[in-house]
Amino acid sequence: MCAREYHIRPGDVPAIFICVVLVAVIIAGTVYDALKRRKQRQTLEMNTSEQATCTPENQSTNADDAVISPSNAELNIESREMPKKCGSKCKEFVQGCLLSFSLCVNICKMMGTVHGKSSITCLNGIRVLSMFWIILFHSYLFVGQYYPTVGNFRYATEIDQGRTVVLWKGDLAVEAFLVLSGLLVSYLTLNQLHRRGGPRHLNWLLFYFHRYWRLTPVYIFVMMLYATLVIYVSDGPLWWQWYYVQAECAATIWEHILYLNNFIPFPGDVGGCFGWSWYLAVDMQLYWMSPIFIIVFYKSRNGGICLTALTTCFCIALSAYFATVQGMPFGVDRVKYRYPKHEEGAWLYTKPWYRLPNYLVGIVLGYILFKLNGKKVQINKYLNIFIWCCAFAVALSIVYGVLTSVAGIRISQGAAVLYITIHRLVFSVCVGWVVFACATGNGGPVNTILSWRIWLPLARMNYCAYLVHLVVIFIYTFSMKSLYYYSDLGFTLDFIGILVVTYSVSFVIAIAVELPMLELEKVIIPAKYRKVQPSKN
């Protein structure tokens, strides 16, 4: 009864063509890489045998010298294959593009577990665990308590509120991503400013281009699949909802390309085509503003602190205003405190002024770690334990602070506005403490767990996991052909399955699109513009 016949639509044809071309390029790049490696090995073996049989008097026969020969052999091959002609640069460009799509190269990069010398290793664990929490949150929303498919809706949403409140507050994981994003932008940019000799010597056009190129190609690719080919994956009573996605995405694609989808149509909302991409828009908008704070911090510590404090106060005041005049409810309560003064929409949740204070926590933390320059900070053992306990207690109070709303207890509007405006900032400070403690030698077992090498490959898939996880959840939910009855064990197994499928799909998309695009950037942009060199001043 649920089976439907879906005909090829206008947008499906270019999507199929792009996928076919992508597969062909990946095959070509992988074959070319394999042939090149084979030729290098043969040349290396030939050179080694020649050296063993006839060694010139002025050449060392030490076995250690042979270890260096692969790079020399590679240079010789390249010099013979690509003579200095007018077309050599074009040939290099084509070869670089092909190698960017090699599965051999990209799988090795994806699955590598070696941390960089100056990397903050705890960040990988925080990234992955935060992503797990987001997937858990969305799984509960669209599987565990999705009204059209859940047969025991009251049990899933009202019984044992203490258990479900952790699921409801999974949106706090977004603050962890904002803190880490601000931290990395601040820390890496300040290091580049230091090496180059100031803001005037940094290529700011490349600063923005890199971020746009890093996010956009794979983002648009996943959205293309979401709007076109996913409809042919399955079927079900709710599967008809996919049919209207293509027209909606085609009409709003420019909003996503420009990262304005959290504002259009004003004031914006979390719905629409690829609705969860509001976070990408906010993150990009905050990235656009980040140089203002980074440059001020680079010039003057006190100036940076003052600017950060004033901006934070302004954002909190603006958020408090919207929370008050819009009568925004507290926690999971849906009853507003008053009739909204402005047009209905997400005046806070998807807006940069609501998320900027959390991002600034990361920027300040990046400045602190930049100044420490890898040095450890000795904190009294008991003081360190006390701060950890305070951070843990505050974070738990923020999560369980909405328990009254889950239980149906209504608090005053003033208390609700206070929680709405500052709880994310406070949670971000708790995340910032975890990073600071782990990076400065005060993390103990927490740092050990967050720095496990197993997190590194998963962290590389995290961006694609964010893009595809709701697509996986929708496919599962919309294809249900009977009612879903929530239970703790059943939902746990469903969540594990969604998690495994999400990261499996993310792995494929990452090695097919995301990593090749990052390698293509190195081919497109000359090395002299990408290389960081000390300033002569």
Side-chain angles (χ1 to χ4, degrees):
M1 187 175 73
C2 299
R4 297 180 180 87
E5 182 180 355
Y6 294 102
H7 301 284
I8 296 293
R9 299 165 298 170
D12 299 341
V13 176
I16 295 172
F17 175 77
I18 291 173
C19 291
V20 170
V21 171
L22 180 62
V23 171
V25 173
I26 290 173
I27 294 174
T30 305
V31 171
Y32 175 75
D33 185 29
L35 294 175
K36 184 178 180 181
R37 291 169 184 262
R38 180 182 178 184
K39 189 172 183 179
Q40 289 176 357
R41 286 196 298 268
Q42 292 176 347
T43 305
L44 175 60
E45 293 172 358
M46 182 180 63
N47 291 341
T48 304
S49 62
E50 289 178 356
Q51 292 175 4
T53 55
C54 182
T55 304
E57 295 181 358
N58 60 349
Q59 184 175 356
S60 172
T61 59
N62 194 321
D64 293 338
D65 293 340
V67 179
I68 307 175
S69 59
S71 59
N72 296 333
E74 183 178 351
L75 291 175
N76 292 334
I77 293 170
E78 291 180 355
S79 63
R80 287 195 296 267
E81 287 183 349
M82 299 187 315
K84 295 182 179 180
K85 298 179 181 179
C86 296
S88 62
K89 291 184 178 181
C90 180
K91 189 175 182 180
E92 287 180 6
F93 179 80
V94 174
Q95 290 176 346
C97 292
L98 282 176
L99 289 176
S100 298
F101 288 87
S102 170
L103 290 179
C104 302
V105 174
N106 293 327
I107 291 177
C108 289
K109 289 182 179 180
M110 178 63 67
M111 302 308 296
T113 57
V114 179
H115 292 291
K117 292 182 180 180
S118 59
S119 62
I120 306 172
T121 55
C122 67
L123 300 186
N124 296 316
I126 296 175
R127 282 194 193 102
V128 176
L129 293 177
S130 298
M131 192 67 241
F132 286 1
W133 197 8
I134 289 177
I135 296 175
L136 177 64
F137 168 59
H138 285 147
S139 297
Y140 182 64
L141 285 182
F142 295 102
V143 177
Q145 59 97 55
Y146 188 54
Y147 184 77
T149 58
V150 176
N152 55 345
F153 183 78
R154 183 176 179 274
Y155 174 82
T157 57
E158 298 181 14
I159 305 300
D160 193 4
Q161 294 91 348
R163 179 199 68 228
T164 59
V165 70
V166 178
L167 307 180
W168 276 108
K169 291 308 294 178
D171 61 332
L172 284 172
V174 171
E175 316 318 318
F177 284 123
L178 289 173
V179 172
L180 298 190
S181 182
L183 161 66
L184 292 174
V185 170
S186 174
Y187 180 74
L188 297 176
T189 306
L190 285 169
N191 274 288
Q192 287 203 17
L193 293 178
H194 176 69
R195 294 173 186 174
R196 291 179 181 267
R200 292 186 297 110
H201 302 282
L202 188 66
N203 190 331
W204 292 105
L205 181 62
L206 186 59
F207 173 86
Y208 287 111
F209 173 80
H210 173 73
R211 184 66 173 180
Y212 188 84
W213 186 266
R214 166 73 180 84
L215 299 182
T216 309
V218 66
Y219 170 29
I220 299 303
F221 179 79
V222 173
M223 190 166 68
M224 176 195 72
L225 297 181
Y226 168 75
T228 57
L229 304 185
V230 170
I231 196 174
Y232 305 105
V233 172
S234 183
D235 210 334
L238 299 176
W239 202 252
W240 57 269
Q241 298 182 69
W242 289 111
Y243 199 78
Y244 303 99
V245 169
Q246 185 171 127
E248 185 177 18
C249 290
T252 60
I253 182 64
W254 66 273
E255 302 170 9
H256 297 271
I257 293 176
L258 296 179
Y259 292 92
L260 297 175
N261 48 292
N262 61 326
F263 277 104
I264 301 174
F266 190 81
D269 209 334
V270 293
C273 170
F274 221 71
W276 61 101
S277 63
W278 66 264
Y279 169 77
L280 302 182
V282 169
D283 184 76
M284 182 65 79
Q285 291 157 12
L286 297 179
Y287 185 86
W288 292 340
M289 293 185 283
S290 65
I292 301 173
F293 301 93
I294 294 172
I295 293 174
V296 174
F297 265 114
Y298 180 79
K299 295 290 186 180
S300 169
R301 180 188 63 185
N302 293 334
I305 294 174
C306 291
L307 178 62
T308 301
L310 290 174
T311 304
T312 301
C313 291
F314 172 77
C315 291
I316 291 176
L318 186 62
S319 299
Y321 166 78
F322 281 118
T324 302
V325 301
Q326 295 298 102
M328 293 181 177
F330 170 71
V332 299
D333 191 2
R334 292 292 178 265
V335 181
K336 294 182 178 294
Y337 286 95
R338 56 176 289 177
Y339 185 79
K341 180 178 180 180
H342 301 288
E343 181 183 353
E344 285 287 355
W347 287 94
L348 290 185
Y349 193 78
T350 66
K351 298 300 178 287
W353 54 76
Y354 189 47
R355 307 287 179 166
L356 179 55
N358 317 319
Y359 194 80
L360 291 178
V361 171
I363 288 182
V364 173
L365 182 58
Y367 173 76
I368 295 173
L369 296 180
F370 163 72
K371 283 297 183 180
L372 290 174
N373 195 24
K375 297 177 182 177
K376 302 301 180 182
V377 177
Q378 290 185 351
I379 301 178
N380 180 273
K381 177 181 178 181
Y382 298 102
L383 177 60
N384 186 33
I385 294 175
F386 175 75
I387 298 176
W388 270 104
C389 291
C390 289
F392 187 70
V394 170
L396 278 181
S397 67
I398 291 171
V399 173
Y400 283 93
V402 299
L403 188 58
T404 55
S405 68
V406 178
I409 302 173
R410 193 167 178 82
I411 64 175
S412 65
Q413 186 181 16
V417 170
L418 179 64
Y419 180 87
I420 291 171
T421 53
I422 70 169
H423 78 286
R424 296 185 184 277
L425 175 59
V426 176
F427 188 83
S428 299
V429 173
C430 295
V431 174
W433 162 253
V434 174
V435 177
F436 174 80
C438 292
T440 56
N442 299 283
V446 176
N447 182 49
T448 302
I449 295 173
L450 294 178
S451 300
W452 283 345
R453 292 188 176 185
I454 188 62
W455 301 125
L456 193 52
L458 294 175
R460 295 192 183 103
M461 305 176 204
N462 241 30
Y463 178 47
C464 288
Y466 182 79
L467 293 174
V468 306
H469 78 281
L470 265 172
V471 181
V472 173
I473 293 172
F474 289 159
I475 290 174
Y476 177 58
T477 303
F478 295 165
S479 60
M480 288 183 180
K481 296 177 174 62
S482 62
L483 290 177
Y484 177 87
Y485 287 88
Y486 178 89
S487 67
D488 290 341
L489 179 60
F491 177 73
T492 300
L493 295 176
D494 287 334
F495 167 66
I496 294 174
I498 290 171
L499 204 62
V500 171
V501 173
T502 294
Y503 275 90
S504 300
V505 175
S506 301
F507 173 78
V508 174
I509 294 178
I511 64 173
V513 182
E514 185 181 9
L515 288 183
M517 291 298 108
L518 296 180
E519 291 300 311
L520 273 180
E521 181 187 7
K522 301 175 183 178
V523 178
I524 295 172
I525 300 176
K528 63 180 181 180
Y529 296 115
R530 291 185 281 107
K531 189 176 180 181
V532 177
Q533 297 177 342
S535 173
K536 297 180 180 179
N537 296 338

